[in-house]
Amino acid sequence: MIPSNDDRRTPITPQMAMRVAILGGVAFALFGIVFFRLWFLQVLSGDQYLAQASSNRTRSVVIQAPRGQVSDRNGRPLVENRRAVAVMVTPSRLPKDKAKRHADLVRLSAVLGLSTKPARCTSGARDLRDTTPRIDLECRIDIAVYQLPYADVTAKGDVSRAVYGYLAERQQQFPGVSIQDVFLRSYPYGSIGAQLFGTVGQVSAADLRSPHYRGVKGGSVVGKTGLEYSYDQYLRGVNGAQRIQVNANGRATGAQQTVAPKAGNDLRLSIDLGLQKAGQQALATGIQLANGNGNPADAGAFVALDPRNGQVLGMGSAPSFDPNTIPKLTRAQYAAKFQSKAGGSPQVDRATDGLYPVGSTFKVVTAAAAMAAGKISPGTPYNDSGSFRLGAQVRHNSGNASYGTVTMHDAFRFSVDTYFYALGANLNVDPMRNPNGGALQLWARQFGFGKTPAVDLPTSTSGTVPSPRWRNDRNRLQAECVADLHKSQRDRKYRRRFKGLCAYADGSNRMWSAGDNVSLAVGQGDFLATPLQMAVAYAAIENGGRVVKPHIGMRVTDARGGIVTSVAGGSVRTLSIPNLPAIQDGLHAAASEQGGTSSDVWQGFPSQYQVYGKTGTAQHTNQPDQSWYVCYIPDPVRPIVIAVTIERGGFGAQAAAPAARLIASQWFGVKKVVKAGTSHTL
């Protein structure tokens, strides 16, 4: 019998059997894990992944909340909202391929009317700067991605219906681009009060780090300047959201859920629209008068204040601008219009941020300080020879005029400079023992100069009250700056970090002198102040010594008209001004008596409205003089303080004073008459 093949196979050893069993167990375990995972995904987690798959077909779109309306004291709208269409870019949805991304953005720029010419652009962290030339839109997107990685970028904030239709029909050709309905600010009166009301814009990375914008999300529209900034927390509403369903191409196919936005609160101002218009026109008239006298005036500012409570009745600056045009400007156009010297800096509010010498309008402070220090009384005679000598230096009255023996009354009436020069010299103190100065510096600060006004505007301008300590600090800064400049000239790397010129002091390192105090006594030298500070100081003269807190906002109301918050007035301090009636009498004489520096300007003004005012002609180095006028009318029902300045406008009586009369005429309903003065005093 022949044996079979099966009988000839080698028997399986125990070791081999063990190996086969282990491999079989491992294979069984692996198949078990795979089977359990599939069962977990399909049975236990099926609903979860179904929901996630559904969410991949939806997109959340922010619905912008309209900001609150801003109105004047009588309820007339000054800032409103209008609906517009904005083109937005979501950077994360743009093509990943750089060439495709660039091509798409070039096409989009062409559609939106933006520049497609590459220009230098700086983006990224300081140590990883990217300066590759890019088109404007590409540059803005790259900067925005670095600052706010997850926020949409506004390509253009106000597009035409034609552009809207073109993009809506071609959504697949512009990935990452969407069209949104937005609210833009509308200004019914154009350039009237533009600097005061301020501007809005998309929140930046720097904004989000500020406590002022606490809780604001990236991409939100916030107040950037002016009252829009100061009252942003009230004016800004709460954005809504809408979840929309999209197809595989990202095209919207329907809405699923909507959370309605909540509009912001409304703001009522103390501004009177009629007075605001009249003030802006008065500035234009003052500039024209100055030009007619051969002065190259082109800018100025005015402030109208209620001396009882600090309510700002009107405040304006020239040149101004129409904020309605801003959403349509490209970045280059905006820079040319608002950030170049040729544009005249129209966004600067010269009423609050314009720092100037104020000339003879400061003499009220000098008189108060001299009487408080016991240097003079109202009746103290002064023999004016037309000149004042201090050491080797000789100063004269304007036009070398001589007034003989005068008291405070006539010193104000004729604006006798030598009278106040002498007071400045008498008020000077030992700079070593009194580094902060003497009575003149003290009273200047008491009136509010040298300090940022407590006004509800984002201003940081404090001005300058010069003193021995201030002089020493400026000399030190000048020396440090010069040392840095010399170092930069030796070190090329350091030179790139050093910017600007050294202009803290004149470089002579001179110490404080009596001449500095003499200049300060007439609002000259290193003294600098704003029109708002001048108005606050004269309000204290009118109301008996109360230094008021100026404010523009009156109250914030909700949609139902309920008061959310009220803006209280009040006083910073109350001064005990010695012989205040004598100062008031001098101001009244200057505006009403024969030979007064502004009496001819007010000729024919109704006698029931008594005017108290002072001209000022501030001198600048290598520039034409600046025209000033500050006055008040203590009407028992509608008192008002008015401060006007015309840059490079010449004598105070010729440009600023006529503008002040026009403003007062509007407030009291008097026929407007343009009357330029003839006084050539400082």
Side-chain angles (χ1 to χ4, degrees), residues 103-389:
D104 284 358
L105 293 179
V106 169
R107 287 191 301 109
L108 179 61
S109 296
V111 172
L112 299 179
L114 304 176
S115 174
T116 57
K117 183 179 179 180
R120 179 181 173 85
C121 173
T122 303
S123 63
R126 179 173 298 180
D127 54 344
L128 296 172
R129 290 291 192 197
D130 182 1
T131 58
T132 306
R134 281 158 281 184
I135 64 173
D136 177 73
L137 180 56
E138 200 169 20
C139 178
R140 287 193 284 128
I141 291 174
D142 290 345
I143 293 174
V145 167
Y146 169 70
Q147 295 180 341
L148 296 172
Y150 304 106
D152 289 350
V153 179
T154 302
K156 195 166 185 178
D158 189 11
V159 300
S160 65
R161 303 305 298 182
V163 171
Y164 167 80
Y166 182 90
L167 292 175
E169 294 173 358
R170 296 167 176 81
Q171 287 190 6
Q172 296 181 21
Q173 300 178 23
F174 295 94
V177 178
S178 60
I179 303 170
Q180 294 183 14
D181 290 328
V182 296
F183 290 97
L184 296 180
R185 286 309 230 179
S186 174
Y187 306 86
Y189 304 101
S191 62
I192 301 297
Q195 299 92 346
L196 180 64
F197 305 145
T199 58
V200 298
Q202 197 168 31
V203 68
S204 67
D207 293 335
L208 293 176
R209 292 192 292 269
S210 169
H212 185 78
Y213 296 108
R214 184 177 291 110
V216 175
K217 295 182 178 180
S220 299
V221 174
V222 297
K224 291 285 191 174
T225 62
L227 293 169
E228 292 277 15
Y229 174 90
S230 297
Y231 289 92
D232 180 68
Q233 62 175 318
Y234 299 108
L235 292 170
R236 176 175 21 96
V238 179
N239 290 339
Q242 183 180 46
R243 295 190 68 82
I244 59 174
Q245 187 172 353
V246 297
N247 57 23
N249 295 319
R251 193 163 189 169
T253 58
Q256 292 187 340
Q257 185 179 8
T258 300
V259 177
K262 181 182 178 182
N265 296 310
D266 296 332
L267 175 63
R268 179 71 65 92
L269 305 181
S270 60
I271 296 294
D272 181 275
L273 176 59
L275 191 68
Q276 186 70 28
K277 289 181 177 180
Q280 298 278 178
Q281 182 57 49
L283 284 181
T285 300
I287 291 172
Q288 291 173 0
L289 290 172
N291 295 156
N293 289 321
N295 294 298
D298 56 3
F302 82 95
V303 176
L305 198 70
D306 187 330
R308 299 171 299 184
N309 49 31
Q311 289 184 0
V312 176
L313 306 173
M315 179 186 290
S317 181
S320 189
F321 64 98
D322 184 356
N324 290 306
T325 63
I326 292 180
K328 297 180 181 294
L329 297 178
T330 64
R331 190 174 63 158
Q333 291 171 333
Y334 182 89
K337 187 171 183 178
F338 296 118
Q339 298 174 341
S340 66
K341 291 183 179 179
S345 303
Q347 278 194 311
V348 174
D349 189 347
R350 288 168 165 82
T352 59
D353 295 326
L355 286 174
Y356 312 104
V358 300
S360 293
T361 58
F362 184 79
K363 290 176 179 177
V364 295
V365 179
T366 304
M371 289 189 290
K375 300 296 183 180
I376 59 166
S377 68
T380 301
Y382 175 78
N383 185 24
D384 170 42
S385 63
S387 63
F388 173 79
R389 180 179 293 275

Side-chain angles (χ1 to χ4, degrees), residues 480-499:
E480 292 174 354
C481 180
V482 171
D484 288 344
L485 179 59
H486 290 164
K487 183 177 180 180
S488 72
Q489 293 171 345
R490 296 191 302 268
D491 187 341
R492 182 174 298 179
K493 293 182 179 180
Y494 189 83
R495 188 181 310 165
R496 286 198 291 265
R497 298 197 298 270
F498 183 84
K499 297 180 180 179

Side-chain angles (χ1 to χ4, degrees), residues 402-470:
S402 176
Y403 299 98
T405 301
V406 297
T407 60
M408 183 177 292
H409 176 93
D410 285 338
F412 274 112
R413 177 186 175 190
F414 302 122
S415 195
V416 183
D417 295 319
T418 58
Y419 177 93
F420 292 95
Y421 290 153
L423 294 182
N426 289 334
L427 289 168
N428 191 48
V429 293
D430 183 349
M432 299 300 292
R433 295 182 179 180
N434 303 277
N436 292 322
L440 188 52
Q441 284 79 7
L442 172 64
W443 276 87
R445 299 187 192 101
Q446 290 286 80
F447 271 102
F449 297 110
K451 302 176 183 178
T452 303
V455 64
D456 48 349
L457 284 173
T459 176
S460 59
T461 305
S462 60
T464 301
V465 176
S467 66
R469 187 189 300 277
W470 176 87

